[in-house]
Amino acid sequence: MHKLFGKKNKSKDNLVESQYNSTGNDGPRPAETNSMPDSNGTAHQQNVVQKNETPPPQPPRPKLVFHCQQAHGSPTGIISGFTNVKELYQKIADCYDLPVGEILFCTLNTHKVDMSRLLGGQIGLEDFIFAHVKGQPKELDVTKSQDALGLTITDNGAGYAFIKRIKEDSIMDKQQLVSVGDHIEKIDGKSLVGCRHYEVAKMLKDIPKGTTFTLRLVEPMKSGFSFVEKSSGKKGSGNLGSGKQTLRLRSSGPATVEIPDDVVNVAVDKINGLLESFMGINDTELAQSIWELGSKLDNPSDFAMKVDNSDLNEFGFTDDFVFDLWGAITDAKSGRLTKATTEFNEQF
């Protein structure tokens, strides 16, 4: 057995402490009476008895626990107590005693740079988290000889945008130093740390054709994998880990445990495909938010108004694109969508 990091032991101690504390104050408060004691003190005595009654024991609240490792190799850590992606990254950083800025992105159930396994807005209760940390930085000069560079960009939800796909025979496909999983750190010396994927995509799209620019990338660390252990199959919270339930993470609001709906999954995949085609970005959480915004509406006009009056307005969606999003939502609701492979055509 590999020894766990000191931080991990601390997390385990915190877990036990939290479980005990969760039952200490959760019991119902004893009923109190507003009766004034009469001359013989009967009401007062009854009130004392009520206050001395022991409340019935409450079942402990489930504590969701996930296992993680660094993708290039490390002992297994235990992560719990997070409600959004940024908190998750901080928990992982604390576990391994490294700056949170060193974590580029996470994959689920594989240590490989597999963009189909990226951690997004949902984590299965049986999922194993692999954290990919910063490796070798690299700089290259790129000449934008075509309108599109051939990239699909996503981000980790915590300030880093990185390459999810490279289109075959595109400008970037011919750059030997560029790889899927690379963090786009700078363009012409301007730091992109803290930028969302759509902001980075717009910067690349706005570079005039024929311009040569300098791109600074940081690739994930690549190393041996000798420390990584296989899953024991006992992850999750025990009584909740069915393999189908997922922890839904939100940028605002509490995380919730949900059972994925096939209709929702198909709709989100289709919407994400549209985001890639029209904007060159990939964001499952954004696609989920668009679905939730339109799934209960009855016509495209109401949907367009909802988009304009929501945080989605900052993306600058065109009217035609909003109509395409509405089409994906209605197709999913009517059952016309199936699990499809969506072609994408980057525009930057």
Side-chain angles (χ1 to χ4, degrees):
M1 290 293 292
H2 297 293
K3 292 185 179 180
L4 302 182
F5 284 23
K7 291 281 183 178
K8 178 188 169 186
N9 292 334
K10 181 180 178 181
S11 299
K12 201 168 183 181
D13 294 338
N14 290 340
L15 170 61
V16 175
E17 181 182 357
S18 175
Q19 288 175 328
Y20 282 125
N21 289 342
S22 66
T23 59
N25 299 319
D26 289 345
R29 294 179 180 275
E32 295 191 18
T33 178
N34 292 326
S35 302
M36 295 295 293
D38 53 23
S39 57
N40 60 12
T42 303
H44 175 71
Q45 292 176 357
Q46 183 179 8
N47 197 29
V48 171
V49 172
Q50 287 179 338
K51 286 187 176 181
N52 289 336
E53 287 180 353
T54 303
Q58 297 294 314
R61 294 177 180 177
K63 184 81 170 182
L64 299 180
V65 177
F66 296 88
H67 288 66
C68 76
Q69 289 171 341
Q70 296 183 61
H72 64 280
S74 76
T76 301
I78 296 177
I79 306 297
S80 64
F82 58 90
T83 60
N84 56 54
V85 172
K86 287 186 177 181
E87 290 181 4
L88 167 60
Y89 278 55
Q90 187 63 60
K91 290 286 185 179
I92 295 173
D94 292 343
C95 177
Y96 290 105
D97 197 20
L98 53 84
V100 68
E102 290 295 304
I103 303 174
L104 293 180
F105 57 87
C106 295
T107 51
L108 299 177
N109 305 315
T110 179
H111 67 282
K112 299 178 180 179
V113 182
D114 185 345
M115 297 294 103
S116 67
R117 302 286 187 88
L118 282 175
L119 184 151
Q122 291 186 338
I123 307 176
L125 298 190
E126 296 295 324
D127 283 342
F128 200 112
I129 302 170
F130 289 90
H132 298 254
V133 302
K134 284 184 177 180
Q136 179 69 37
K138 47 196 178 183
E139 282 194 1
L140 61 151
D141 293 331
V142 181
T143 300
K144 192 174 183 182
S145 56
Q146 303 173 13
D147 292 328
L149 291 171
L151 296 179
T152 295
I153 296 175
T154 188
D155 64 33
N156 64 1
Y160 287 169
F162 54 92
I163 299 171
K164 179 169 183 180
R165 269 195 274 272
I166 302 175
K167 189 176 182 180
E168 189 176 356
D169 294 327
S170 65
I171 295 173
M172 300 308 292
D173 188 40
K174 297 172 184 176
Q175 300 288 331
Q176 295 183 352
L177 290 178
V178 180
S179 302
V180 167
D182 286 351
H183 162 48
I184 305 175
E185 185 181 57
K186 295 180 181 180
I187 298 177
D188 284 335
K190 180 180 178 180
S191 176
L192 304 181
V193 175
C195 293
R196 291 301 311 271
H197 47 13
Y198 59 90
E199 296 175 301
V200 177
K202 186 177 186 304
M203 291 179 195
L204 293 171
K205 182 178 180 180
D206 290 345
I207 294 174
K209 184 177 177 180
T211 301
T212 297
F213 62 97
T214 301
L215 199 61
R216 180 179 171 88
L217 306 172
V218 180
E219 66 181 26
M221 185 178 291
K222 298 178 177 67
S223 185
F225 206 63
S226 57
F227 289 106
V228 176
E229 300 173 348
K230 291 185 178 180
S231 166
S232 65
K234 297 181 180 180
K235 302 179 295 298
S237 58
N239 58 331
L240 289 179
S242 67
K244 294 183 178 180
Q245 291 171 307
T246 64
L247 180 66
R248 171 85 191 281
L249 302 176
R250 294 176 171 83
S251 55
S252 60
T256 56
V257 175
E258 301 175 352
I259 298 178
D261 187 304
D262 289 340
V263 173
V264 177
N265 289 340
V266 170
V268 168
D269 286 345
K270 176 64 175 179
I271 293 171
N272 221 350
L274 291 172
L275 291 172
E276 289 194 11
S277 298
F278 287 88
M279 301 181 64
I281 65 172
N282 185 286
D283 190 329
T284 302
E285 184 180 1
L286 174 61
Q288 178 90 26
S289 299
I290 292 171
W291 160 258
E292 291 176 352
L293 193 70
S295 60
K296 297 180 181 179
L297 300 177
D298 298 323
N299 61 76
S301 297
D302 289 346
F303 177 63
M305 290 182 61
K306 281 281 190 178
V307 170
D308 288 341
N309 295 324
S310 71
D311 292 339
L312 297 176
N313 188 46
E314 67 179 294
F315 289 90
F317 294 154
T318 64
D319 292 342
D320 288 341
F321 183 60
V322 171
F323 188 78
D324 287 335
L325 293 175
W326 175 251
I329 292 170
T330 54
D331 285 348
K333 289 167 64 176
S334 63
R336 291 192 294 268
L337 277 185
T338 56
K339 197 78 172 178
T341 56
T342 307
E343 294 295 328
F344 60 94
N345 179 23
E346 298 86 346
Q347 301 297 317
F348 58 94

